[in-house]
Amino acid sequence: MTLSNPLMKKLIAAYDRGMVVPFVGAGISTPNCVLWNDFIDNLENAAGIKQNASSAQNSAVPLVQRAAKVVRKIRNEVPYSLGDKVRVALKSKGNHTTPPSGNGTAVDLADI
């Protein structure tokens, strides 16, 4: 499915209206999107938050706390920039063009 697909256009429009919350497993996104730990690291870098040894913990509670902190900082500093920073932080440096399944879904999700 590509971004020009009519179904994808409807999905993006619904997402833009706040009617859809994407929820996908790591298997679909890993070729094109970074994993949670790297995603939070990338957001912290974009927000200018320095990481220390304790912030690099990868268990669920510290990761959620780090995510909440960085989202609050980005929202408070520059209104409306959170979406842009999230899009950049999610993308894999490898910029793969075809996910393992070959259906293009992960590429489309990474490009939204």
Side-chain angles (χ1 to χ4, degrees):
M1 190 178 306
T2 65
L3 291 177
S4 62
N5 181 297
L7 182 59
M8 184 58 77
K9 286 181 179 182
K10 287 181 182 181
L11 181 62
I12 292 170
Y15 172 79
D16 288 342
R17 290 190 314 270
M19 305 290 291
V20 173
V21 176
F23 182 83
V24 295
I28 194 171
S29 60
T30 55
N32 298 291
C33 297
V34 296
L35 297 176
W36 283 110
N37 298 334
D38 293 331
F39 173 58
I40 301 304
D41 289 346
N42 292 346
L43 277 180
E44 287 173 333
N45 288 336
I49 295 175
K50 293 190 179 202
Q51 299 168 18
N52 56 41
S54 64
S55 73
Q57 294 177 13
N58 296 328
S59 61
V61 172
L63 198 60
V64 169
Q65 291 170 338
R66 289 172 54 206
K69 178 181 177 182
V70 71
V71 166
R72 277 193 306 271
K73 181 170 185 195
I74 292 170
R75 280 187 175 157
N76 289 331
E77 286 183 350
V78 182
Y80 309 109
S81 71
L82 180 61
D84 293 334
K85 290 187 189 275
V86 165
R87 285 181 191 92
V88 171
L90 270 175
K91 287 196 176 185
S92 171
K93 301 280 189 251
N95 286 328
H96 302 280
T97 56
T98 306
S101 63
N103 64 13
T105 304
V107 173
D108 294 335
L109 289 172
D111 285 338
I112 291 179

